Amino acid sequence: MLQQRIHGIDEQEHLPSMLAADARELAHQLQEHQKKIFSPTAQKTMRLFSPAEAAAFIGIGEGYLRQIASEGHGPQPLSNGRRMYAVEDIERIRRVLDEGSKAGKYLPHRRAGEKLQVISVMNFKGGSGKTTTAAHLSQYLALRGYRVLAIDLDPQASLSALFGHQPELDVGEAETLYGAIRYENPRPVADIVRSTYTTNLHLIPGNLELMEFEHETPKAMIGGSAETLFFARIGEVLTTIESFYDIVVIDCPPQLGFLTMSALCAATSVLITVHPQMLDVMSMSQFLSMTSELMAVVEKAGGRTSYDWMRYLVTRFEPNDGPQSQMTGFMRAIFGNRMLLNAMVKSTAISDAGVTKQTLYEVERSQFIRGTYDRAMESLSLVNAEIEEMIRKVWGRK
């Protein structure tokens, strides 16, 4: 009787087999769920923007936008006389305005002498909003007219999924950045870059094959077979396509490995996301210590360790939460101007959009309580605009 009651406990369970079986079943069910949300032939699209939103992205007043549109450069008005702007409309108007003004006033592409900006977004504790930050920053900069490349360096590939590329279904062998930085038979990185449904935004997707770089690098280091050291490989491949882009945003893996170190050495700037709670901040303390020690080793080997800027971004911030406000103040007292002035507030609008693998720029305002959506969008715009301003400052622009 006792033997029956403890059936399953006295029998050894083979962990690798169980995990493999669970992974297969979970992947299958997720694929079925994906098909229900998006049919196999469906493609993600960007929503239409209101005149106020379109004008803000272009950097002009709403009245001026109406004038430009009435001159035949905007979309046709709807039955109610209101115009709604597609991303393509915004880009077309931006180009029309740029032709009639000082070159570069409305098209913010890099100019002669302005270096490619590579922003590595990182943190090593789940729930910090790292991928959400990278996704919204990439889209915001593209909507502002910059030529942006988003790189999903996280094997979990959540950024790829947000941008409509399912890692299990749509990303094949050597179609991640690993294909370009692997030690044997690397592919040209230009062959791996994909367009997205957002004008000006390209993507290098991720999936589990990125872990191969973590496994192969120690062997290459021991065998001395690598012509380029691991920490220089991402930066090296980016030089081959840098003329096509103004800004690169890298969503780093959630661990301090060879991929992350290579992303740090390729970066010109670093953005560290942090959730303002004690356990998260304590975890970040350990991460900062480990990162500094490893970067010192990389620096001795010739890796780049100086940046245009490094900032901490408070994410999932709840302004009415006393302990969170205290922790944010605590960090500001320590880090000073290395903290972004604006924080990304916690919002059901962002989390609910993520359920259907969408960003806040993609979902319709009508899907949410107006105040909830507006607060999230205002917070998002302030954070991204602050980062954009630092990029422009590096380039020496007003």
Side-chain angles (χ1 to χ4, degrees):
M1 183 67 85
L2 179 61
Q3 184 65 26
Q4 290 178 344
R5 284 202 298 269
I6 62 172
H7 178 69
I9 296 179
D10 60 336
E11 294 179 4
Q12 291 290 303
E13 297 178 331
H14 188 239
L15 186 61
S17 299
M18 287 192 300
L19 294 179
D22 288 350
R24 287 192 297 269
E25 180 61 19
L26 183 57
H28 171 71
Q29 293 300 332
L30 286 172
Q31 290 172 20
E32 292 301 311
H33 177 67
Q34 175 75 3
K35 291 175 184 177
K36 292 177 182 177
I37 299 176
F38 301 109
S39 70
T41 57
Q43 293 202 351
K44 291 191 70 177
T45 58
M46 182 66 76
R47 68 174 170 89
L48 299 178
F49 294 96
S50 69
E53 291 175 311
F57 285 134
I58 298 170
I60 59 176
E62 193 174 342
Y64 190 23
L65 177 65
R66 283 196 295 269
Q67 176 188 330
I68 296 296
S70 66
E71 294 173 356
H73 300 300
Q76 292 298 313
L78 303 175
S79 57
N80 60 4
R82 182 177 171 84
R83 285 185 169 89
M84 296 297 288
Y85 294 79
V87 179
E88 294 78 11
D89 297 323
I90 294 173
E91 184 66 12
R92 183 171 63 253
I93 292 171
R94 184 181 281 119
R95 291 182 179 278
V96 168
L97 289 172
D98 207 63
E99 289 174 1
S101 66
K102 182 181 178 181
K105 182 177 181 180
Y106 296 98
L107 275 176
H109 298 173
R110 280 193 299 138
R111 304 163 189 166
E114 295 177 345
K115 66 181 179 181
L116 177 72
Q117 293 295 288
V118 182
I119 304 172
S120 286
V121 184
M122 57 192 303
N123 196 294
F124 301 106
K125 186 170 178 60
S128 71
K130 173 179 65 66
T131 296
T132 301
T133 297
H136 285 92
L137 176 61
S138 300
Q139 273 190 333
Y140 168 85
L141 292 169
L143 289 167
R144 288 283 288 156
Y146 300 96
R147 301 167 300 167
V148 182
L149 174 64
I151 299 178
D152 193 348
L153 211 59
D154 187 342
Q156 298 175 70
S158 297
L159 182 72
S160 303
L162 269 175
F163 287 157
H165 297 265
Q166 282 300 108
E168 306 91 350
L169 301 174
D170 307 321
V171 186
E173 183 180 353
E175 291 183 352
T176 70
L177 190 65
Y178 168 72
I181 62 174
R182 61 188 179 185
Y183 296 96
E184 295 184 4
N185 302 316
R187 295 182 62 191
V189 69
D191 294 347
I192 300 171
V193 174
R194 303 183 179 194
S195 60
T196 71
Y197 50 92
T198 304
T199 302
N200 295 324
L201 177 59
H202 289 173
L203 171 72
I204 296 180
N207 67 13
L208 285 174
E209 81 165 8
L210 286 164
M211 291 301 298
E212 294 298 317
F213 189 73
E214 304 291 348
H215 302 150
E216 292 178 358
T217 295
K219 299 176 186 177
M221 293 172 67
I222 294 172
S225 58
E227 294 183 8
T228 304
L229 292 173
F230 78 88
F231 55 78
R233 299 186 80 80
I234 293 179
E236 186 177 76
V237 299
L238 286 180
T239 60
T240 65
I241 56 172
E242 66 175 323
S243 62
F244 299 104
Y245 300 102
D246 306 306
I247 303 163
V248 177
V249 178
I250 303 178
D251 184 23
C252 292
Q255 65 270 340
L256 193 57
F258 296 115
L259 279 170
T260 300
M261 298 304 292
S262 188
L264 282 173
C265 289
T268 59
S269 306
V270 176
L271 185 64
I272 300 174
T273 57
V274 55
H275 186 212
Q277 288 193 336
M278 180 58 74
L279 288 178
D280 296 80
V281 175
M282 289 173 63
S283 174
M284 188 178 74
S285 174
Q286 298 299 312
F287 144 64
L288 294 177
S289 178
M290 289 188 296
T291 304
S292 65
E293 292 173 3
L294 288 173
M295 291 299 285
V297 174
V298 168
E299 184 177 38
K300 290 180 180 179
R304 181 169 68 183
T305 56
S306 296
Y307 302 98
D308 294 326
W309 52 263
M310 184 274 281
R311 293 292 186 276
Y312 298 100
L313 167 63
V314 172
T315 56
R316 299 177 59 218
F317 178 55
E318 299 174 71
N320 296 325
D321 186 310
Q324 283 201 20
S325 296
Q326 290 177 2
M327 184 55 67
T328 301
F330 175 72
M331 288 190 291
R332 290 195 187 282
I334 296 172
F335 300 135
N337 61 8
R338 290 196 299 281
M339 294 274 290
L340 287 184
L341 294 176
N342 297 287
M344 187 60 228
V345 299
K346 182 178 181 179
S347 173
T348 54
I350 293 178
S351 56
D352 288 354
V355 171
T356 53
K357 296 177 181 174
Q358 292 178 290
T359 69
L360 206 59
Y361 294 119
E362 298 168 29
V363 294
E364 297 288 348
R365 186 187 186 200
S366 58
Q367 294 178 228
F368 305 94
I369 298 172
R370 179 173 295 185
T372 300
Y373 180 88
D374 290 347
R375 280 191 297 272
M377 185 60 82
E378 180 185 22
S379 173
L380 194 62
S381 298
L382 288 171
V383 167
N384 288 334
E386 188 175 350
I387 295 171
E388 179 191 6
E389 184 61 30
M390 290 191 295
I391 293 170
R392 293 176 67 85
K393 186 175 180 181
V394 170
W395 285 336
R397 300 188 194 180
K398 295 182 180 178

